[in-house]
Every structure is written in C-alpha cells, then in structure tokens.
Amino acid sequence: MNPAPEKTRVLIVDDSAAMRALLNKLLSHDPAIEVVGMAPEPHAAREMIKSLNPDVVTLDIEMPGMDGLSFLERIMRLRPMPVVMCSTLTARGTEATIEAMRLGAVDCIAKPSGNPLEIAQDGALLRKIVKAAARSSVRRTASPPTPVNAAQGSLRDVVIAVGASTGGVEALFSIIGALPPDCPPVMVVQHMPAAFTGSFATRLDKAARVQVVEAQNGMNLRRGTVYLAPGGGQHMELLGGTSGQVKLVAGDTVSGHRPSVDVLFRSVSRLGSRAVGVILTGMGSDGAIGLKAMRDAGARTLGQSRETCVVYGMPRAAFEAGAVEKEFSLSAMPEAILGACRR
C-alpha cells in the first residue's frame, strides 16, 4: 500500500481576520492542502515560519508594522521560500504585486471578492497556484541585470517572440532589462491576470533601455520596443512581416490559456529564419507546439535552463517536443538572444 502523499503546508499572512478566515476556508477545501497557521502581521509570521516551516506563504501587500514588500524582501534574502501574493485590484495594489514578483514571489492572485460564484472560481485558482508554488524552485533575490550591447547594425531584421508563466516576471525583468535600445521588436506573452499586465508593462519600461508597452491591436512593430500581451480576453498574434502589426484576437483558450504562447509562436513561425523564439519558466506546456513550429520553419529557438527556472514546466515540454535548439541560464539568456539575432 502506497503511503499518502504529503500535504502542502501553508501559512496565511493577512491583517484582516475576515480575509484570513476566507483564505483558510478556500485552501482547506482541498485535502492535499493543510493551513498550518495564520498570522495578522509580518512579525508574528516570522516566528511562525521558524516554528512551523511551511511549504508556502500567502502574503498580503498592505499590513501594519511592516508592509508585505519589505517582509518579502527579507524572506528572499534570508530564507528563500515560495510566496504567493494576495493583492487588492487597485492601482497601488497591482504595482506592488509586480514589484513583489520582481523580488521573487512565485505568483499572485487577486483577493477573493464577495460574489459566491467568483469566490468559488478564485478558490480553485488559489489552490492550483499554491500547490504549484510548493513544487517551485526559489532563490535569493537576483542581482540587477547586466546590460548587453550589440555593434551598430549587427542585429538582423527579425522578430523576437517570448513566452513565460510562473516565475516569468522576475525572468523578464532580468532579460528585458539587459537588452540594448536597438534591439529587434519583442512580442511577449506572460500568463498574468488582466488587471496586472498594464502595471507590469509600466514597471518593466522604467527598468529597461528598450520601450515596453502593453500591446494594442494594430500597433506597428518597431525596433527597441517590447509588446506585452494584455491579460484576459484576447490572444496576441503577429500580422505581416518583421515590420508588421500586433493583432489581438478573441477566441477560446488555447493550451489552457488566453493569451496563449502557442498562438503567438505559431503566428511568428510564418517568418521562418527571420524569427527568434524564447520559452521561459512556467507551469504547463503552453508554447511547446508553437515553438516547434518556429524551429521547423527555420527560426532560432531558445529555452531557459532547468536550474534557473522557478518552474521547469513550459521549457521542459518544449525541450522534450524537440522545439528547443539550446537551453541557457537566465543570466546568459540576453546575450544568447542577441547572438541569435546577429547577422
């Protein structure tokens, strides 16, 4: 008789007693999850982490005594562990959540609303994210990206397509922040709730030498610009050639997601050798089919290495499908991308 699988042990940190109770109820609905403690503020949470040794911490952004970001920074510096941020859908809340994921939080979820149907949906997503976080690989906060440069005119006329999911925010800060201002256009699908992609684009733009925008339908591709697919209701495709346009299209989920990395990669595969595909950290297999189409068409295709992924799911699926030409560590990825773009 096989032993019962170990439960995912969770510590909830939130200053609202009502929210702690709700999160506890939603998480406890899954017999594979055990809530081992609930803390009203970071100082109590610090002691609970020491005594309870949870697998995952869910963390509120705004709390008395020490805010969630300061506490997260201490966790990732002194005792790296999987942290899932629970954020309110306010401008301040979404910006803080993006910063939290840059600091190393595995994922984020909007705080459950009062609508019974939405609470059920939020609960299912929360349980999925928490169990995935428990299987993730976390490290101390990464150093700022080292800028890489290219000789003037040395980069081919190509389109770079990038797909990421869990852990992708931190990875994209590292990669996009290192790219030179004359980089070929970059199209990015990052699995993220719709409320967060605008804040992510703005925050990434401030940290990069290239321009980063939340993509809009009909935008013309330009060198030195990164186009981040808006979350939620549409897929992002490339219409035309290397100087083509962003096309946002409604449709069902593909590979479990909307926007889908597979949809982006398949549209870019039409460029053949004038494209570069990059698959980064993430849960699931979205992007594997599309990246294989890109490689079969003659594109250069790169994958993030297992050792530097928060979740080696999407890169692994792509590698096993024969879609990845070569894997690179996160720190080596910017230079590898430019190398694939050189003449």
Side-chain angles (χ1 to χ4, degrees):
M1 184 175 180
N2 294 326
E6 293 187 4
K7 293 185 177 183
T8 298
R9 305 172 75 253
V10 183
L11 173 65
I12 297 169
V13 186
D14 197 297
D15 65 325
S16 166
M19 185 54 63
R20 292 196 302 273
L22 177 57
L23 293 175
N24 182 24
K25 179 180 178 181
L26 294 177
L27 289 170
S28 300
H29 186 74
D30 190 326
I33 297 174
E34 179 185 4
V35 176
V36 295
M38 295 186 287
E41 44 82 25
H43 296 291
R46 181 175 58 189
E47 297 306 314
M48 287 186 178
I49 288 174
K50 292 178 183 178
S51 62
L52 298 173
N53 194 30
D55 299 313
V56 180
V57 171
T58 69
L59 182 60
D60 187 16
I61 292 285
E62 299 177 7
M63 292 179 292
M66 180 190 299
D67 66 87
L69 289 179
S70 298
F71 185 50
L72 174 67
E73 191 277 331
R74 289 193 181 188
I75 291 175
M76 301 312 294
R77 178 165 47 87
L78 301 174
R79 194 182 187 281
M81 62 186 304
V83 176
V84 174
M85 305 305 296
C86 289
S87 172
T88 55
L89 293 182
T90 63
R92 181 177 175 183
T94 55
E95 289 170 7
T97 301
I98 296 303
E99 177 63 10
M101 289 193 288
R102 186 191 71 81
L103 289 171
V106 172
D107 214 329
C108 66
I109 186 169
K111 284 192 173 183
S113 66
N115 182 299
L117 177 60
E118 290 182 0
I119 285 178
Q121 294 172 339
D122 292 342
L125 179 59
L126 174 64
R127 293 186 290 271
K128 177 182 177 182
I129 287 175
V130 162
K131 288 192 288 187
R135 299 190 300 270
S136 67
S137 173
V138 295
R139 293 161 296 279
R140 285 176 171 80
T141 303
S143 302
T146 301
V148 293
N149 295 294
Q152 189 68 31
S154 68
L155 300 179
R156 296 184 294 130
D157 185 21
V158 300
V159 171
I160 303 167
V162 181
S165 186
T166 310
V169 170
E170 185 181 7
L172 287 168
F173 268 107
S174 180
I175 293 170
I176 302 301
L179 295 178
D182 62 338
C183 180
V186 183
M187 302 179 75
V188 178
V189 168
Q190 160 71 47
H191 297 158
M192 180 180 284
F196 294 104
T197 46
S199 293
F200 182 33
T202 299
R203 180 67 181 79
L204 196 53
D205 180 66
K206 293 177 181 177
R209 294 181 294 167
V210 292
Q211 182 183 14
V212 182
V213 298
E214 186 178 34
Q216 297 179 20
N217 191 51
M219 278 184 165
N220 294 312
L221 296 195
R222 298 181 302 174
R223 294 182 78 92
T225 305
V226 175
Y227 303 86
L228 177 69
Q234 297 175 303
H235 296 290
M236 182 170 72
E237 298 180 351
L238 170 65
L239 180 64
T242 56
S243 298
Q245 293 181 327
V246 171
K247 182 181 179 183
L248 298 180
V249 294
D252 296 334
T253 59
V254 175
S255 302
H257 296 278
R258 185 178 54 235
S260 164
V261 180
D262 272 325
V263 171
L264 172 63
F265 283 174
R266 281 201 296 260
S267 73
V268 176
S269 71
R270 294 192 289 267
L271 297 180
S273 61
R274 295 180 298 157
V276 176
V278 183
I279 190 79
L280 301 176
T281 174
M283 181 172 55
S285 61
D286 188 23
I289 295 172
L291 194 66
K292 183 64 163 60
M294 289 184 67
R295 189 176 188 188
D296 289 346
R300 301 293 303 277
T301 56
L302 318 176
Q304 186 176 346
S305 65
R306 176 195 294 266
E307 295 76 19
T308 62
C309 282
V310 172
V311 178
Y312 185 60
M314 286 164 48
R316 177 178 183 171
F319 181 83
E320 291 178 347
V324 175
E325 176 185 338
K326 188 174 181 180
E327 292 186 324
F328 294 89
S329 69
L330 185 57
S331 61
M333 187 63 80
E335 180 56 48
I337 292 172
L338 293 186
C341 295
R342 288 193 176 98
R343 299 183 187 281

